[in-house]
Structure formats: C-alpha cells, structure tokens
C-alpha cells in the first residue's frame, strides 16, 4: 500500500484540465525513488473530489488493489471526514439516507426520490463536534462513496459546506476553499490482514482554525 495526504485542488487522476494529477505524481516518485524501469503500477481504489484534501490509500500491486477494492465494496474500509458547514444541523448526531443521480454533462449530483430509476442509495452518519461563529464542525462516517455525496447530502439538509460553490453558491463566494477533509481511514492490510488506522488533519487555515485542536499546526 501507499498512503498519502492528497493536497487540495490536485486531481486524483488525469482529467480534461491537463493539470498534474496525484496518480502521475506518485508513479513518478516511485520510479525515481526505487530506480524502476518501465511502467510503474499503482492502483486507484477510491477517489476524492479535486478541491478536497486529506488521507488516501493506493495499491502497489494488483492483488492489493483487488483486496482493498473488496473492502470498499463490503463497507469494511471505514472512511471518516471533517466538514465545516454553514449554520447548524437539526440533530447533534444522525444518519442520512438519500438517493442520488449524477448529471454527467453538468458534473452535478441531485437528490431524487427512492423510486427514481437512476437513483443510487447514499448513506452517511454525522456527528456535530463543535459550533462557533455561525458554523458547525462535523465528523462524517461515510458508508457509501457516491460522487459529491457528502456535499450534496449536507446541502440537501440546508447545511452547505463552507466554500462549496457548486452546492452552496448562495452562501459561499468564489475563491473560498471548500472545508471538507478526508480525516481518517481504517482498513485491513491487504496482505498481513492487520487492522490499520491512518489520520490526516486539516491545515491551520480559516475556517478550520476556528477549532485549532482539529488542525495540523505544521501546515
């Protein structure tokens, strides 16, 4: 495995922008670090939206990729996020279940009814950690990995994520960085079968630094 902290605004894999992507950066690093010849294998087993930073795991062999992907399919890999939302939630802790549809042309996701033929189930659990300055800090346990899931489900609750222009344009402004961070992964090592936990803390920047105990003071 290779576990890294993804920088914000770096695409996970090559996209239409042509910007340097994380997968290529890591492959090049492995090639140089270990003096490898030919193509370097690195398996992408999960994704983060381009503006989102935090912890990610990659597979260094096809066998590891298969086993890690299986953990994700079985919801055996626990994925936790931190998010700063505008306003507050109705309950301090709750499970949200919605059905989502993605418009690929617009690259936007919408909440639809349960009976929608293209709707895919999306589920997460959140806990409000603290509230301050008209915002709330949430820890999110993500059960399914739908595109833009956390952003859409929270916006649907009337609590858009700080800085999210796509799903919170009425309260956020261009140039604000989205306050969504991949905080923790709990998984089983694909070979040793040992339980492993990896954590990453958001940078010491606004709005994260409203809650300094939840930030990485070295960033």
């Amino acid at each position: 495995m290779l576990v890294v902290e993804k920088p914000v605004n770096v695409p996970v894999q090559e996209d239409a922008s042509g910007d340097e992507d994380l997968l290529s950066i890591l492959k090049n690093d492995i090639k140089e670090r270990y003096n490898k010849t030919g193509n370097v294998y690195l398996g992408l087993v999960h994704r983060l939206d381009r503006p989102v930073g935090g912890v990610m795991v990659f597979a260094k062999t096809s066998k590891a990729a298969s086993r890690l992907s299986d953990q994700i399919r079985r919801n055996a890999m626990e994925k936790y996020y931190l998010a700063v939302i505008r306003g507050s939630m109705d309950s301090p802790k709750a499970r949200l279940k919605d059905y989502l549809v993605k418009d690929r042309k617009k690259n936007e996701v919408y909440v639809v009814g349960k009976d929608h033929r293209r709707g895919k189930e999306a589920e997460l659990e959140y806990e409000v950690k603290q509230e301050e300055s008209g915002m709330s800090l949430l820890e999110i346990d993500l059960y399914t990995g739908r595109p833009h899931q956390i952003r859409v489900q929270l916006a649907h609750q009337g609590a858009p994520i700080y800085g999210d222009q796509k799903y919170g344009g009425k309260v956020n402004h261009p140039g604000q960085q989205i306050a969504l961070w991949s905080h923790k992964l709990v998984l089983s090592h694909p070979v040793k079968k040992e339980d492993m936990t990896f954590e990453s803390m958001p940078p010491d920047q606004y709005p994260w630094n409203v809650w300094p105990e939840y930030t990485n003071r070295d960033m």
Side-chain angles (χ1 to χ4, degrees):
M1 298 188 308
L2 178 62
V3 181
V4 303
E5 183 176 270
K6 175 189 172 300
V8 299
N9 298 322
V10 174
V12 170
Q13 60 187 138
E14 187 177 358
D15 62 14
S17 71
D19 295 338
E20 193 172 28
D21 63 281
L22 184 59
L23 192 60
S24 297
I25 293 170
L26 296 175
K27 284 183 177 181
N28 290 334
D29 179 71
I30 291 171
K31 192 167 187 174
E32 293 179 10
R33 189 187 301 268
Y34 300 105
N35 295 316
K36 287 185 174 289
T37 58
N39 293 327
V40 172
Y41 178 86
L42 193 63
L44 180 62
V45 296
H46 68 123
R47 291 169 172 79
L48 292 178
D49 291 348
R50 177 171 179 150
V52 179
V55 64
M56 286 190 72
V57 60
F58 292 82
K60 296 176 75 173
T61 67
S62 57
K63 181 181 287 187
S66 176
R67 291 177 177 176
L68 289 170
S69 296
D70 182 62
Q71 288 184 48
I72 292 174
R73 279 193 297 271
R74 294 186 288 107
N75 291 327
M77 183 185 296
E78 299 175 43
K79 294 179 283 185
Y80 296 90
Y81 292 75
L82 293 174
V84 178
I85 61 163
R86 300 282 192 174
S88 59
M89 303 299 290
D90 291 337
S91 302
K93 185 175 182 179
R95 184 175 293 205
L96 303 181
K97 184 175 180 179
D98 295 294
Y99 293 84
L100 307 181
V101 166
K102 183 174 183 179
D103 184 330
R104 297 191 179 279
K105 290 183 179 179
K106 295 182 178 179
N107 191 31
E108 288 191 25
V109 178
Y110 305 92
V111 174
V112 296
K114 182 179 180 180
D115 297 328
H116 194 288
R117 62 183 180 85
R118 291 174 48 226
K120 294 185 177 180
E121 186 175 292
E123 195 169 1
L124 61 80
E125 185 173 300
Y126 73 83
E127 181 178 0
V128 178
K129 307 303 287 187
Q130 292 187 34
E131 297 181 356
E132 185 72 37
S133 304
M135 300 179 293
S136 302
L137 177 67
L138 273 56
E139 183 178 61
I140 296 158
D141 186 355
L142 189 65
Y143 296 134
T144 53
R146 307 300 181 195
H148 303 179
Q149 178 183 336
I150 298 173
R151 300 161 65 183
V152 175
Q153 286 194 274
L154 291 178
H156 186 63
Q157 295 291 315
I161 297 175
Y162 176 95
D164 188 353
Q165 280 95 52
K166 186 181 287 288
Y167 301 105
K170 292 182 178 180
V171 292
N172 294 313
H173 308 290
Q176 290 178 335
Q177 177 63 45
I178 189 171
L180 178 61
W181 194 263
S182 176
H183 167 53
K184 182 166 64 174
L185 290 177
V186 182
L187 53 87
S188 174
H189 191 283
V191 177
K192 299 177 182 179
K193 308 301 183 185
E194 297 172 353
D195 290 338
M196 308 185 79
T197 299
F198 302 94
E199 290 190 1
S200 168
M201 302 301 288
D204 185 20
Q205 299 171 358
Y206 189 85
W208 298 112
N209 58 11
V210 173
W211 301 278
E213 64 270 34
Y214 286 93
T215 62
N216 182 351
R217 308 308 293 273
D218 296 326
M219 294 178 66

